[in-house]
Amino acid sequence: MKDFNPADKIQDLQYFGEFGGVNPSISDSSTYTFLSAKTMFDTFEGNMEGCYLYSRHSSPSNLYLDQALAAMEGTETANVSASGMGAITPTLLQLCGAGDHIVSSRTIYGGTYAFLKNFTPRFGIETSFVDITKLDVVEAAITPKTKVLYCETVSNPLLEVADIAGLAQLAKKHNLKLVVDNTFSPLSVSPAKLGADIVIHSLTKYINGSSDTVGGVTCASKEFINSLKNVNSGASMLLGPTMDSLRSASVMKNLRTLHIRIKQHSHNAHFLADHFEKDGLKTVYPGLKSHPSHELYKTMINPEYGFGGMLTIDVGTLAKANELMELMQTRNLGYLAVSLGFYKTLFSAPGTSTSSEIPIEEQHEMGLTDGLIRFSIGLDNDIERTYKMMKACMVELGVL
Ligand SMILES: *Cc1c(COP(=O)(O)O)cnc(C)c1O
């Protein structure tokens, strides 16, 4: 992966506005005129490159962002959507139909878990949830009906690491598509370079980074993205989770600073994880030697972007977790909020929030404990100062 630097790929893209603006013009139209009826027909049939028809299908602003995200992930092309779920759900419905089977990591985003567990069975699509870190367990779950292997590079909220290269080999062997949600690790990991077929992001998180919108993207081959957008049979085209042009233009501008932000998020999270662990807190962070997949993850990342901005600690009980989060919020150390990738540190107790779709017994089975706090570490200028203030909160509440 040394010759592939995703931030350089983004930097190399230049888009100008209609009047020489340094940002591309925003296409503020839902529909497009044609000079000839023949061209309109050909566009409908999908035979005209570069012609716009209707903005649910594609728009110039969305195509700029598609290209930039495809460049970042090293895929042929991409398709942005109105939310991360708006990328995940059409992608899986495009790949699977009645009678098909999915093997998925059991530690995934709560919404994706609910979709696979409760929603897709209505359409005859069944999912086996497995410990994704055990390749033999993954392979044993594959049946003749399996079409998709699904995982998150770094899982939410337990920060388990998927061996993408190993999973890609399995996918190839059994003729499956490997779909990877890379929301927690943009720039740090390039799943397509490790063999993933399709890479998905919730743009809502790090990529947009300002917690002012939801958004998503599917990065894949031209063939797959064309199938998603097909006017007669494409799940994205027909279900309609289209991103608005004004929004894609604003996400594009934020994408330009992603590399700087990721480095700072990683730096700050690594500092805190090191110190929390030394203080005796049960800390999970892929950059720590104590993380079960630390050595593997080291081989997967583009090192300059680090191990990411997410970490968890376990303070024993939900009551303690809640007390600590409330106190840290009072001291302006972060916000008690779900989501991630913001300039400000965000924290939540996943068992009662983002993973509450997962039944309690299953939460316990996968190691999601009551006292777990998930942190999305912010862009704090002086992380040592933040650490001292967080530690003071912990000492005050008897956590340390
Ligand atoms: C937030 C999130 C999603 C869903 O994205 P939305 O933009 O909220 O629809 C999917 N996967 C992961 C890992 C997430 O964190």
Side-chain angles (χ1 to χ4, degrees):
M1 250 166 25
K2 287 210 168 53
D3 54 340
F4 182 80
N5 190 318
D8 294 346
K9 300 287 174 191
I10 299 171
Q11 190 181 315
D12 289 346
L13 291 172
Q14 280 188 312
Y15 302 126
F16 294 108
E18 202 175 348
F19 304 101
V22 294
N23 288 302
S25 305
I26 299 174
S27 49
D28 200 17
S29 297
S30 58
T31 189
Y32 303 82
T33 59
F34 289 84
L35 289 176
S36 87
K38 169 84 170 66
T39 321
M40 182 186 268
F41 175 78
D42 287 343
T43 305
F44 242 102
E45 294 290 296
N47 300 330
M48 288 294 296
E49 280 272 326
C51 270
Y52 297 99
L53 176 72
Y54 186 64
S55 289
R56 174 153 42 78
H57 182 262
S58 52
S59 66
S61 296
N62 286 9
L63 284 185
Y64 288 136
L65 186 58
D66 289 343
Q67 282 174 10
L69 293 167
M72 177 182 89
E73 288 299 356
T75 59
E76 277 178 6
T77 187
N79 184 43
V80 294
S81 52
S83 70
M85 290 308 292
I88 292 165
T89 57
T91 297
L92 293 174
L93 291 175
Q94 193 68 34
L95 292 169
C96 297
D100 291 339
H101 176 246
I102 296 172
V103 175
S104 169
S105 165
R106 62 183 187 182
T107 53
I108 51 172
Y109 178 69
T112 312
Y113 180 84
F115 178 68
L116 292 175
K117 175 104 179 172
N118 308 324
F119 198 88
T120 49
R122 288 164 51 181
F123 303 98
I125 302 166
E126 298 297 332
T127 300
S128 301
F129 295 96
V130 298
D131 180 345
I132 204 74
T133 62
K134 301 199 167 79
L135 290 178
D136 53 336
V137 172
V138 174
E139 185 162 31
I142 295 170
T143 75
K145 293 179 171 173
T146 310
K147 290 280 157 61
V148 169
L149 274 185
Y150 186 89
C151 69
E152 295 171 6
T153 311
V154 179
S155 80
N156 181 21
L158 295 174
L159 310 182
E160 287 177 353
V161 173
D163 175 0
I164 293 173
L167 291 166
Q169 273 178 4
L170 276 186
K172 201 163 254 155
K173 180 173 162 196
H174 294 275
N175 199 22
L176 316 175
K177 294 283 180 223
L178 175 60
V179 181
V180 178
D181 178 337
N182 199 32
T183 299
F184 275 36
S185 45
L187 302 182
S188 288
V189 179
S190 305
K193 294 286 162 195
L194 297 168
D197 298 290
I198 296 171
V199 183
I200 292 178
H201 283 277
S202 166
L203 303 177
T204 314
K205 315 298 167 51
Y206 286 106
I207 289 178
N208 185 59
S210 50
S211 291
D212 56 358
T213 185
V214 287
V217 70
T218 302
C219 303
S221 66
K222 278 191 181 145
E223 188 190 357
F224 183 70
I225 297 299
N226 284 342
S227 77
L228 269 182
K229 290 170 41 160
N230 186 289
V231 292
N232 293 308
S233 59
S236 287
M237 183 63 184
L238 298 176
L239 294 170
T242 312
M243 179 178 268
D244 184 74
S245 291
L246 272 76
R247 220 22 128 171
S248 57
S250 75
V251 175
M252 182 73 205
K253 283 172 274 196
N254 287 357
L255 178 66
R256 295 298 193 182
T257 58
L258 180 64
H259 55 297
I260 301 169
R261 290 185 279 115
I262 290 291
K263 287 175 191 175
Q264 187 74 11
H265 284 301
S266 287
H267 170 77
N268 286 354
H270 210 147
F271 183 93
L272 290 178
D274 275 342
H275 284 75
F276 288 162
E277 186 171 64
K278 280 200 192 100
D279 290 336
L281 276 176
K282 219 171 133 193
T283 308
V284 175
Y285 181 69
L288 293 176
K289 285 206 175 69
S290 58
H291 189 286
S293 301
H294 174 70
E295 290 303 322
L296 167 70
Y297 200 51
K298 241 168 57 181
T299 67
M300 289 169 55
I301 60 172
N302 300 307
E304 66 183 284
Y305 304 108
F307 292 88
M310 302 300 296
L311 66 88
T312 70
I313 59 170
D314 193 331
V315 296
T317 64
L318 178 61
K320 264 293 170 238
N322 288 343
E323 251 185 295
L324 178 59
M325 290 191 292
E326 285 166 14
L327 184 60
M328 287 191 297
Q329 178 162 259
T330 310
R331 305 259 163 96
N332 197 17
L333 290 165
Y335 299 138
L336 174 44
V338 297
S339 201
L340 48 129
F342 196 33
Y343 79 89
K344 189 91 173 179
T345 292
L346 302 178
F347 32 76
S348 56
T352 51
S353 58
T354 50
S355 296
S356 57
E357 292 92 339
I358 303 172
I360 293 288
E361 315 80 66
E362 287 176 45
Q363 288 190 22
H364 288 163
E365 198 183 310
M366 62 181 65
L368 215 165
T369 48
D370 292 339
L372 199 73
I373 302 177
R374 181 186 83 174
F375 285 79
S376 164
I377 303 301
L379 300 173
D380 305 30
N381 175 55
D382 182 352
I383 197 63
E384 199 167 340
R385 171 173 172 265
T386 301
Y387 164 67
K388 284 181 183 147
M389 291 170 73
M390 285 183 171
K391 187 166 176 179
C393 294
M394 292 173 191
V395 169
E396 202 169 314
L397 296 177
V399 170
L400 275 181

